[in-house]
Amino acid sequence: MNKPKRGSFGSKFGAIAAIGGSVVGLGNIWRFPYLAGENGGAAFILVYIIVSFTVAIPVMLSEFAIGREAKRNAIGAFKKIAPASFWPFLGSLGIATALVIMTFYSVIAGWSLQFLLDSLLNTFDGWSAEQVKQHFNHFAQSGYTPIVWAIVYVSATAFIVISGIEKGIERYNKILMPLLVLIMVLLVCYSFSLSGFEQGVRFLLYPDFSQLTPTVIMEAVGQAFFSLSLGMGCMITYGSYIKKQENMVHMAATVALCDVSVAVLSGLMIFPAVFSFGISPTSGPELIFITLPNLFSQMTGGYLISILFFLIVFIAAITSTVSLFEVVNAYIHEEFSIGRKRATLITTLMVITLSSMCALSMMANSPIRVMGDNLFIFSDNLASNFMLPIGGLLIVIFAGWFMPKPILEQQLTNSNTVNKRSYRFFYIMIRFVSPIMLALLFLHISGII
Ligand code: PHE
């Protein structure tokens, strides 16, 4: 019996929309603003941008090359390119990382649905800052309501993934990503009219280099990897759906540009509002769920702005979760020869279980704790500070030192038809620059340097 044909992205725009959908996510709209706010703004942002275009793009190219060469899921790809070696283990690390990220990611994305509903119902109208804070804490710690939202959210993700690569993932990203950019641009235009706009722009654009401590630099490096969906096989999986005539170097550069632009746009959307109301930008992970709803309720047009804002948080999140979900889904589907629909069902049940446990662990006095933290903090730390940097380091070492060189060359030059010069540049980046930078990051995170 012939194997059914493997899916691929139908068009260049579709591929960029899908990969762009993966990179642009809560990392840009939730994590980036609060980290930039905590770490002094422009200097942090500058490091994040430089790292994205220097160290991170080579990792993305390595993942694309591995995926497109093997045309398999994250584990299958290593099995095919480096059989009888320990490398497939790296794919397993990627699958595990995808599950760890989805554990907390689906919960936060579920919150965005609750806040979207609250915005539609105009719940926060006339509320004080304290009331919004209590509402958020009560909701986030209530356990069961966040679980219901996480289930709704994960089911919506599964609905997109179940229809396949071109008809599901690509199709929805082609609609959702332009919509996201359009709404963001509208919200940034609105930001122009706020009294804190200038201060917001200064915070984002004028670096104060005295703020650049080693920890800030390392946080910015970690953020670049999280935000570009690197280090866990997501780009191996999506790379395996890229057609052979597409120019991967252009694609990686375009996607990195989208990621950085959306992060800066979200800064332009959020900080002017924060400064207009004289609030400090350092409120941490709660920035968009406590500070912003409070601001929206005081703004002219705040009702509509609030709805649009939580709508884009949801859109950004779901297009990223689709890619995380597909990492696990493709693995189950291909390595166990299980039909795509059944694989999606299995993945859905796993993610719902994990995210429900995460939501439960946030309840006051919950017994679900790992190393003293609730699952939310634990899984975010484990993935961002540990699994992604190790994964990224090993992937780039594999591509630069262990994968046969002609494969890398063939993939990055589309069999010598494009990019000969940029290939030489990226070969050096992949072999030397990225691994060294990542090794430094990891040593720092683990407290060795
Ligand atoms: N890049 C996504 C974001 O910015 C998160 C993500 C990480 C997605 C790793 C896939 C893989 O939100």
Side-chain angles (χ1 to χ4, degrees):
M1 202 180 83
N2 277 342
K3 274 199 164 181
K5 211 173 150 281
R6 201 169 184 278
S8 65
F9 296 129
S11 64
K12 181 171 185 152
F13 173 66
I16 290 181
I19 300 167
S22 169
V23 303
V24 170
L26 292 173
N28 305 63
I29 303 183
W30 164 71
R31 214 167 183 273
F32 171 80
Y34 95 70
L35 281 178
E38 283 182 338
N39 290 316
F44 168 88
I45 296 169
L46 196 66
V47 180
Y48 152 74
I49 294 178
I50 293 173
V51 170
S52 296
F53 283 105
T54 54
V55 186
I57 286 185
V59 181
M60 188 177 283
L61 288 173
S62 305
E63 295 201 25
F64 281 167
I66 296 167
R68 188 164 74 172
E69 168 67 26
K71 292 199 180 49
R72 295 262 186 93
N73 60 84
I75 294 185
F78 288 104
K79 280 194 196 159
K80 188 164 175 189
I81 298 177
S85 70
F86 104 104
W87 288 106
F89 169 75
L90 185 49
S92 320
L93 182 71
I95 310 285
T97 311
L99 288 169
V100 172
I101 295 179
M102 280 190 281
T103 301
F104 71 92
Y105 208 91
S106 314
V107 176
I108 311 172
W111 293 354
S112 75
L113 287 173
Q114 168 73 45
F115 277 72
L116 182 58
L117 182 68
D118 280 332
S119 305
L120 284 164
L121 298 175
N122 211 3
T123 307
F124 305 119
D125 191 30
W127 280 22
S128 68
E130 196 45 39
Q131 278 171 308
V132 181
K133 189 170 176 170
Q134 272 178 14
H135 171 78
F136 172 79
N137 288 337
H138 182 260
F139 159 70
Q141 292 168 12
S142 69
Y144 300 103
T145 330
I147 289 182
V148 173
W149 284 122
I151 293 176
V152 171
Y153 177 78
V154 177
S155 309
T157 308
F159 175 77
I160 294 178
V161 172
I162 208 164
S163 317
I165 312 308
E166 194 175 346
K167 296 220 172 75
I169 298 177
E170 178 174 350
R171 187 164 124 217
Y172 285 96
N173 272 298
K174 277 196 322 207
I175 303 167
L176 293 175
M177 288 317 286
L179 183 66
L180 173 99
V181 174
L182 180 76
I183 300 177
M184 275 196 110
V185 171
L186 284 177
L187 291 179
V188 173
C189 290
Y190 175 85
S191 247
F192 271 105
S193 69
L194 296 173
S195 59
F197 187 74
E198 235 189 271
Q199 207 184 343
V201 170
R202 199 167 313 127
F203 184 72
L204 284 169
L205 297 187
Y206 291 94
D208 166 8
F209 288 106
S210 67
Q211 305 258 10
L212 269 192
T213 62
T215 313
V216 171
I217 295 177
M218 294 303 168
E219 289 248 28
V221 178
Q223 170 61 14
F225 278 85
F226 182 85
S227 195
L228 285 166
S229 310
L230 296 175
M232 41 72 66
C234 191
M235 293 299 145
I236 296 180
T237 310
Y238 269 19
S240 75
Y241 303 136
I242 299 177
K243 286 196 168 140
K244 69 172 190 295
Q245 70 271 21
E246 306 297 359
N247 181 332
M248 297 200 304
V249 175
H250 279 178
M251 216 166 242
T254 312
V255 168
L257 193 65
C258 286
D259 187 58
V260 166
S261 312
V262 173
V264 172
L265 276 181
S266 88
L268 284 175
M269 191 170 73
I270 290 171
F271 290 115
V274 169
F275 288 116
S276 298
F277 289 87
I279 287 170
S280 155
T282 56
S283 54
E286 297 159 353
L287 179 68
I288 71 167
F289 292 104
I290 296 184
T291 312
L292 290 187
N294 181 35
L295 300 186
F296 294 145
S297 71
Q298 300 170 47
M299 284 175 180
T300 16
Y303 176 69
L304 188 64
I305 304 288
S306 179
I307 295 173
L308 290 177
F309 179 78
F310 286 108
L311 183 64
I312 57 167
V313 175
F314 168 69
I315 294 177
I318 196 158
T319 52
S320 296
T321 318
V322 160
S323 71
L324 287 158
F325 196 99
E326 179 60 15
V327 171
V328 183
N329 198 43
Y331 162 65
I332 297 177
H333 169 49
E334 291 175 0
E335 297 303 302
F336 298 94
S337 301
I338 290 178
R340 204 177 153 84
K341 290 205 166 73
R342 276 184 64 200
T344 305
L345 188 67
I346 296 171
T347 313
T348 307
L349 292 177
M350 289 199 304
V351 179
I352 286 180
T353 310
L354 287 169
S355 49
S356 300
M357 280 168 57
C358 178
L360 286 177
S361 81
M362 297 183 79
M363 292 171 85
N365 304 324
S366 168
I368 309 176
R369 299 208 144 240
V370 189
M371 293 161 80
D373 283 324
N374 63 32
L375 272 188
F376 176 86
I377 296 176
F378 176 77
S379 51
D380 189 3
N381 276 345
L382 179 68
S384 317
N385 296 343
F386 192 69
M387 297 174 99
L388 291 182
I390 294 194
L393 172 63
L394 293 176
I395 286 171
V396 93
I397 289 178
F398 173 76
W401 296 86
F402 292 89
M403 185 161 85
K405 194 176 165 200
I407 293 186
L408 191 63
E409 181 165 356
Q410 217 175 44
Q411 285 301 334
L412 296 192
T413 61
N414 286 5
S415 305
N416 278 328
T417 51
V418 287
N419 275 328
K420 199 76 192 149
R421 213 179 293 148
S422 67
Y423 163 70
R424 281 191 211 107
F425 170 73
F426 281 115
Y427 182 66
I428 294 176
M429 297 296 285
I430 289 172
R431 216 166 139 88
F432 301 105
V433 181
S434 281
I436 291 172
M437 288 294 294
L438 277 172
L440 289 176
L441 169 71
F442 182 60
L443 290 175
H444 178 80
I445 286 170
S446 49
I448 297 170
I449 55 168

